[in-house]
């Protein structure tokens, strides 16, 4: 039996990932912020065994309470997928919003650290675990202008991934990132449609990524077949970045 902990589960990527990986007998521990209607409908429709945790990961207190509730569930995750981030706001550096940046660091990085401190020793004891973080293709080459806050947070996630992959490989735990190019999801709701259209027009395939372009690679990295892959930041870019 697999026990999946997915933070940011109410995102478009989270919903599609659950659809893709759910098998009979698996359990899902799902974190979101706000309305869980889509998650509830999906899990009821597909008879998925789940617990939903509403938690504001920008708050240290809320994150700590979330981890306490995870512990109270008595379930130890075998797989951990970390997806949450504040939406990208394109703004000139002279207008850098330190308060919002710190909130995003809490959402993306500090929550990941706290959760990993809780679950990785348990995975290590079990000699098995899969950890997967969501990064971005922006960390792989020159980033677009006016995205300093987002880029710094994502680079921190990649640094955390590399460090944990080194530390926990002897315990049979793999730790990886995926770095997709722009995905057309509700995450872009605060991004100008002109920026989204320009990204599509400049892409080698003349389109942006879709959720179902990205999720299959994520499912693979969570699978038994990927047991010898760790410390990887996988580009999913349709050729916009070739390494």
């Amino acid at each position: 039996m697999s026990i999946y902990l997915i933070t940011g589960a109410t995102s478009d990527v989270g919903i599609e990932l659950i659809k893709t990986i759910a098998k009979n007998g698996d359990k899902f521990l799902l974190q979101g912020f706000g309305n869980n209607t889509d998650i509830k409908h999906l899990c009821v429709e597909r008879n998925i065994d789940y617990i939903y945790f509403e938690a504001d990961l920008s708050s240290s207190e809320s994150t700590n309470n979330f981890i306490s509730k995870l512990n109270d569930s008595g379930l130890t995750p075998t797989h951990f997928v970390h997806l949450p981030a504040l939406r990208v706001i394109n703004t000139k550096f002279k207008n850098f919003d330190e308060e919002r940046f710190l909130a995003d660091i809490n959402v993306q990085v500090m929550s990941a650290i706290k959760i990993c401190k809780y679950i990785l020793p348990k995975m290590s004891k079990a000699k098995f675990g899969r950890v997967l973080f969501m990064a971005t293709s922006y960390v792989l080459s020159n980033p677009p202008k006016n995205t300093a806050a987002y880029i710094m947070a994502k680079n921190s996630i990649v640094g955390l991934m590399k460090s944990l992959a080194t530390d926990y490989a002897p315990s049979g735990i793999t730790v990886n990132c995926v770095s997709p190019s722009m995905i057309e999801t509700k995450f872009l709701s605060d991004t100008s449609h002109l920026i989204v259209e320009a990204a599509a027009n400049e892409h080698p395939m003349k389109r942006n990524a879709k959720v179902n372009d990205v999720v299959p690679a994520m499912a693979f990295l969570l699978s038994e077949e990927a047991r010898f892959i760790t410390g990887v930041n996988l580009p999913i870019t349709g050729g916009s970045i070739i390494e």
Side-chain angles (χ1 to χ4, degrees):
M1 177 184 71
S2 295
I3 301 174
Y4 292 91
L5 169 60
I6 304 178
T7 46
T10 55
S11 64
D12 293 340
V13 172
I15 294 288
E16 186 65 23
L17 182 63
I18 295 166
K19 291 178 182 177
T20 301
I21 63 178
K23 296 183 178 66
N24 288 337
D26 291 343
K27 295 183 182 293
F28 285 80
L29 307 173
L30 306 173
Q31 178 275 331
F33 181 53
N35 196 324
N36 70 338
T37 302
D38 291 343
I39 288 283
K40 182 176 180 180
H41 287 170
L42 170 65
C43 292
V44 170
E45 178 183 294
R46 302 204 175 198
N47 198 29
I48 294 171
D49 188 357
Y50 81 106
I51 303 173
Y52 179 79
F53 302 87
E54 183 170 355
D56 177 3
L57 300 183
S58 69
S59 161
S60 294
E61 181 180 1
S62 179
T63 301
N64 290 340
N65 288 339
F66 166 52
I67 293 170
S68 178
K69 290 176 182 177
L70 281 178
N71 186 59
D72 291 344
S73 75
L75 298 171
T76 299
T78 56
H79 298 70
F80 171 41
V81 183
H82 190 62
L83 302 174
L86 296 188
R87 291 173 180 174
V88 181
I89 294 180
N90 293 75
T91 184
K92 293 183 181 298
F93 188 71
K94 66 180 182 180
N95 299 320
F96 190 95
D97 186 337
E98 292 94 341
E99 186 174 339
R100 190 177 192 278
F101 171 65
L102 290 174
D104 201 18
I105 286 292
N106 279 338
V107 169
Q108 294 201 53
V109 184
M110 292 307 300
S111 67
I113 292 170
K114 288 173 178 285
I115 293 166
C116 285
K117 283 179 68 178
Y118 169 68
I119 64 172
L120 281 171
K122 297 176 183 294
M123 288 180 172
S124 183
K125 186 175 181 180
K127 297 297 182 183
F128 177 85
R130 297 282 183 270
V131 178
L132 184 61
F133 298 116
M134 176 65 75
T136 172
S137 64
Y138 294 167
V139 303
L140 302 172
S141 65
N142 293 343
K145 292 180 179 180
N146 305 324
T147 56
Y150 186 68
I151 299 306
M152 286 190 285
K154 288 303 187 186
N155 271 295
S156 295
I157 283 290
V158 173
L160 175 64
M161 176 274 291
K162 290 180 178 180
S163 181
L164 294 179
T166 299
D167 290 350
Y168 284 95
S171 298
I173 300 168
T174 67
V175 189
N176 295 292
C177 285
V178 291
S179 275
S181 55
M182 183 179 285
I183 314 171
E184 293 197 358
T185 68
K186 60 190 177 187
F187 185 75
L188 298 179
S189 62
D190 293 329
T191 302
S192 166
H193 72 279
L194 295 176
I195 293 174
V196 176
E197 290 174 5
N201 290 333
E202 293 167 6
H203 194 280
M205 292 188 179
K206 300 302 178 185
R207 68 174 180 87
N208 294 315
K210 301 182 186 302
V211 172
N212 58 13
D213 294 320
V214 177
V215 165
M218 297 173 67
F220 171 70
L221 289 173
L222 294 169
S223 72
E224 177 60 22
E225 287 75 14
R227 59 189 173 275
F228 209 63
I229 301 173
T230 194
V232 167
N233 183 17
L234 179 66
I236 309 175
T237 67
S240 60
I241 294 174
I242 297 176
E243 294 193 317

